[in-house]
Structures are given as structure tokens and as C-alpha cells.
Amino acid sequence: MYVLDTNVLIHDPNALLNFEEHDVIIPMTVLEELDSLKSGKQAVAADCRQAIRHIDKLLGDATPKEIEKGVPIVRGKADPLGTLSILMSTEGLADHALPNNLNDNKIINSLAALQSRHKSREIILVSKDINMRLKARGFGVEAQDYHNDQLLDDIDLLPQGYREFPNSFWETIAKVETLQREGITEHILKREGELAKLNINEFVIDQQGFIGKVTDLSDTQVVIRDLHQHDLMNEEVWGLVPRDIYQAMALNLLLDPDIHLVNLTGSAGSGKTILALAACIEMTVASKMYKRIIATRSTQGLDEDIGFLPGTEAEKMEPWLGAIVDNLEALHEDDENMTASVDYILSKVPLHFKSMNYIRGRSFQHSLIIIDESQNLTPHQIKTIITRAGNGSKVICLGNLAQIDTPYLSALSSGLTYMTERFKGFRHGGHIHLQGVPRSALAEYAEANL
């Protein structure tokens, strides 16, 4: 029996369908919490409403006795698998119970009472709250995290977007067929050994200065386009030149018209935001490939309401998107009048700051969508934003998996991790993990010693 906590249903409103043949139980306290959070325009309220609709649809016209026993969970046209039931609140065991002043305690007491009635069954609490799991275990109830959307067991297994070979890459190659056409050099290699691990749009680099990009894959061979390191390192975008090969690879993905999704991860100061902003301005003002730039990010917590800040939507979002403005100033710090340059760019560039609360249901055509601090989004939330990309749009996700501010997320369950792993075989997607480029001697010392 899997008993679901409220934060699991908020994290993934479809969680009810992901427990296969097992019995799923929802405590009455969880329904009460969903009811108290369902009102409003926040993303968390929309997730609560969706979870409530799922529960109602699965229970259908079942009688109270059938709900107590367990209603079969129907998934499309497949045969029912597992059951869904509602667990009534209880005062727990008279001689062994937690104080009922907290909802978490009520749920744990209900589970303890359920465990005493079903001693032959394994009862597991599923919660995204670490402290809730610790309390349950301390009380004698088994507890687990929600793992269904965790595609990795170790964050170190997350693709970096490139493969680094010691010495020369070509020392590992026995046979190669090289083609040249329209100024492009491509190498056709047999897909074996380390090459079998390559993904589409992944880079290959070595210590001898070779850099290539995987442009095609099949079961037996891999096609690598030869990129000239000198050209990549001297690519100037809106006055910005890459400071290392990792930034150069990121710019290559950002400027590629065939890449519709770019994920940039890395520590603070690695250049994620300034690279994305410079590329976006270049593609909207100079080349006019896109009509506008949409910048958004999750406000701290589960996307809290922005109504407490004065002004319009753009003015309310400005404090949250300060990194965008800071990097815009950095791009023009050498100008005679930086403030005038920034104001001029903001007047010329169709740069819109949008709250996540008001993105749901919209469709952005021919737009560049920058999702800043995307490590704080759940897989469900990031899917909501990406599906807003209309015809001719490009999505750029920026994040540092070491700085997650949302209480119920970890690096493994972050939407940024989920999406990077899920899209690693997408022909029109790419990912680069940027290495640290210290902003200053002070920042470098702080990173190493604090």
C-alpha cells in the first residue's frame, strides 16, 4: 500500500497512475490540504485542481464502501491495475500517537493505525518532504521519496553535452570516412566503444585542439562534423567572445537555427545568463530570426504569488529577473554611457518579463524563451512552459543544480535534470555543462575556501 503525501500530488498531479499494480491510498488530511491550496492563479493552485480532478475521475460513481475497499485504477483502454482508496482521519493508537496539532502528524497517526489493521501488508508513505519521511520512520512507518520522475540514480551520470578524450581523439579511431561539401567537413565513424555512448548534438573534444559535433546517428555509425576551434573561440556575439571552449560550444548551440531547446547548467559565474542573453539579442536585433525574447523564472518556493510587489507584471518580475538586467549592463559596460545603451537596447529589443503564473495556456510564436533558475522547477512545471513554445520558437533553460531553493526538490528530482536526461536523444535539442569561469579573484577564492 502506497500512501501519498500532499506534496507528491502537487509535484506530479498524475502520480496516482504511476504505482502500477499496487494499492494507492490518499489520507483525508491530504484532500483537505489540496482543498485549501486549490484557489488562486499560482502554479501550485492549478496543480492542486488537476490532482483533485484526477481523484474525482478515478473514483467516479463509487459508493463509500467501494472507496473504502479500493476503486480499480483505470488507465485508458488497458485493464484496471491497482486500486485507489481514501483513508479517513483517525486519532491513532491510544497509547502510541503523535500530537494531532499538525497535519503531518495526523497523516502519520493514520498510517500507524492502518499498519496495525493490516500487519501482513507493507505500508509505505510517499513524500517529497525529507522531514516528514524522517518523522514517519522514527514513528515506525516506512517512508520513501517519489522516484517516478527521477531518471537517474546519481547526478554525476547526467550528460554534460560533450565527451573529452585525453591526448588525441583520433588515436582511438581505427577507420574513418571523411566527406567535404559546401565548406563542411564530416567524419563517418563506426559506432562502437566510447562512440556508442554519444548522443545527437553532443560535442567531442580532445587535448590536441580537435572539436567535433555529432550531427547524425544510426545503430552502426556516427557522423561528426569537424568544427574549427579557432573559429569557435573567436565567434563574437553582440560584443561577447567566449572565454573557454565550453562557452564556445554553448554559443554554437544557442546560435544554431536547427536547435530548438538548449539547456545550460553550471556553477555561479560560468556565464550561463550572459551567453544566452547575448545570443538572444543577436538573433532578434541583428539577424531578426526571432520576433521577441520572453524571460521568466520561478519565484522562490512553489511559484509564489507576485501580487505583493507594486507596478505592472514586468515591473513585478524585474526583481526576480535582476540577473537578466545585470548581464545586459555587463554587455555594454564599455560604452560611453552604459545606462543610455541599456535603455536603448530595452527599447529596441522586444524583451518581455513574464510570470510563470500567466504563461499557462499561452502560445509563443517565433520567440526566444529564457527560463532562468530552472533547477527550481518540477518536471511538471517545466513541461508546462516548454509546451508553450509555438511555431519557430526556441527555449533556453538556465540553472545551477547545486543551488535549489524549493523545499521539496533535489538535484535528481529537478525539472532541469529530468528534461536534460529526457531530451538527450532529441535531434533538435542540446545541452552543455559549463565549467566555472570565476568572475573575480574574490569569487575564485570564495569558491575554494568558503
Side-chain angles (χ1 to χ4, degrees):
M1 296 180 180
Y2 284 100
V3 181
L4 306 191
D5 194 6
T6 311
N7 48 60
V8 173
L9 294 172
I10 294 174
H11 179 83
D12 181 6
N14 299 316
L16 296 167
L17 306 176
N18 296 329
F19 289 87
E20 299 178 348
E21 75 277 10
H22 303 287
D23 296 336
V24 177
I25 298 174
I26 299 177
M28 186 64 70
T29 306
V30 169
L31 289 180
E32 292 170 353
E33 289 186 333
L34 289 175
D35 183 61
S36 66
L37 295 170
K38 71 181 182 183
S39 302
K41 295 181 179 180
Q42 303 99 315
V44 62
D47 292 336
C48 286
R49 292 193 293 268
Q50 186 174 341
I52 292 170
R53 284 192 292 267
H54 269 297
I55 297 171
D56 179 62
K57 182 180 179 181
L58 290 173
L59 294 179
D61 298 326
T63 63
K65 287 187 177 180
E66 290 173 336
I67 293 175
E68 184 179 358
K69 183 180 178 181
V71 178
I73 298 176
V74 180
R75 301 169 178 83
K77 297 181 180 179
D79 294 333
L81 198 63
T83 64
L84 172 65
S85 58
I86 305 297
L87 178 64
M88 294 297 297
S89 298
T90 178
E91 296 300 321
L93 303 176
D95 58 343
H96 184 57
L98 293 172
N100 269 322
N101 58 324
L102 299 175
N103 283 342
D104 286 358
N105 292 353
K106 292 179 183 178
I107 294 173
I108 294 173
N109 288 336
S110 297
L111 263 64
L114 184 67
Q115 201 170 50
S116 66
R117 296 197 303 269
H118 301 276
K119 295 182 178 180
S120 62
R121 300 287 303 274
E122 187 176 6
I123 297 171
I124 300 172
L125 170 66
V126 183
S127 175
K128 299 296 298 179
D129 187 343
I130 296 176
N131 196 59
M132 173 73 158
R133 298 199 299 267
L134 291 174
K135 288 172 65 175
R137 289 171 183 164
F139 197 67
V141 176
E142 180 60 33
Q144 295 179 3
D145 194 0
Y146 178 67
H147 294 294
N148 185 264
D149 53 7
Q150 293 184 14
L151 303 179
L152 298 171
D153 296 325
D154 188 343
I155 198 63
D156 291 334
L157 299 176
L158 190 70
Q160 291 188 311
Y162 47 84
R163 298 268 175 176
E164 296 188 74
F165 289 81
N167 300 319
S168 174
F169 165 73
W170 296 108
E171 290 179 353
T172 64
I173 304 301
K175 183 180 179 181
V176 58
E177 179 184 350
T178 300
L179 302 176
Q180 288 188 332
R181 53 182 176 82
E182 300 177 356
I184 295 174
T185 302
E186 291 185 331
H187 307 289
I188 303 175
L189 310 170
K190 190 174 181 180
R191 195 177 184 189
E192 59 184 4
E194 284 295 314
L195 298 186
K197 302 176 184 178
L198 291 173
N199 299 306
I200 195 75
N201 295 321
E202 198 166 9
F203 292 86
V204 173
I205 57 179
D206 68 12
Q207 294 179 349
Q208 302 297 320
F210 171 76
I211 178 167
K213 180 181 177 182
V214 179
T215 56
D216 200 9
L217 284 174
S218 69
D219 294 335
T220 58
Q221 66 181 24
V222 54
V223 179
I224 297 179
R225 178 175 298 172
D226 199 331
L227 303 176
H228 298 291
Q229 186 170 359
H230 179 269
D231 294 340
L232 284 179
M233 292 300 297
N234 289 278
E235 177 88 47
E236 185 173 334
V237 180
W238 204 253
L240 185 72
V241 177
R243 295 177 61 181
D244 60 22
I245 192 61
Y246 308 103
Q247 291 189 354
M249 291 186 291
L251 275 180
N252 181 270
L253 290 178
L254 289 167
L255 297 173
D256 191 337
D258 293 327
I259 301 295
H260 303 156
L261 173 68
V262 178
N263 300 329
L264 298 184
T265 59
S267 59
S270 57
K272 302 181 296 293
T273 306
I274 198 166
L275 287 170
L277 187 60
C280 287
I281 296 175
E282 181 76 20
M283 290 185 288
T284 50
V285 177
S287 62
K288 299 189 182 299
M289 293 170 58
Y290 300 91
K291 293 182 179 178
R292 58 181 173 175
I293 303 170
I294 307 293
T296 187
R297 62 164 285 180
S298 173
T299 52
Q300 188 173 348
L302 289 174
D303 204 20
E304 298 169 358
D305 196 344
I306 61 170
F308 301 103
L309 294 171
T312 63
E313 180 189 3
E315 291 170 336
K316 290 178 181 180
M317 288 303 297
E318 192 171 339
W320 299 108
L321 292 163
I324 302 290
V325 178
D326 291 344
N327 282 279
L328 191 57
E329 292 176 351
L331 287 172
H332 293 274
E333 63 182 357
D334 294 330
D335 292 2
E336 185 176 342
N337 189 330
M338 181 188 67
T339 303
S341 295
V342 171
D343 291 341
Y344 175 78
I345 292 299
L346 289 175
S347 66
K348 288 293 183 182
V349 177
L351 176 58
H352 306 290
F353 294 160
K354 296 292 181 183
S355 167
M356 276 181 53
N357 300 336
Y358 305 106
I359 283 181
R360 187 184 298 267
R362 298 189 63 179
S363 181
F364 299 110
Q365 312 291 332
H366 303 287
S367 303
L368 289 161
I369 305 171
I370 301 176
I371 310 174
D372 198 16
E373 302 292 339
S374 57
Q375 77 275 4
N376 288 321
L377 300 176
T378 67
H380 178 69
Q381 287 173 327
I382 211 162
K383 177 183 176 182
T384 299
I385 301 176
I386 290 178
T387 52
R388 298 305 96 212
N391 185 41
S393 288
K394 185 171 193 163
V395 178
I396 303 169
C397 298
L398 314 174
N400 179 6
L401 291 168
Q403 293 183 347
I404 294 180
D405 304 316
T406 307
Y408 301 134
L409 279 182
S410 66
L412 286 173
S413 61
S414 168
L416 180 58
T417 301
Y418 181 85
M419 187 181 58
T420 300
E421 179 67 18
R422 181 68 78 184
F423 278 85
K424 67 182 181 183
F426 180 46
R427 179 167 292 276
H428 301 289
H431 164 66
I432 290 293
H433 178 72
L434 295 167
Q435 303 296 322
V437 180
R439 298 167 177 159
S440 63
L442 171 62
E444 185 176 13
Y445 187 85
E447 285 285 343
N449 296 280
L450 296 184

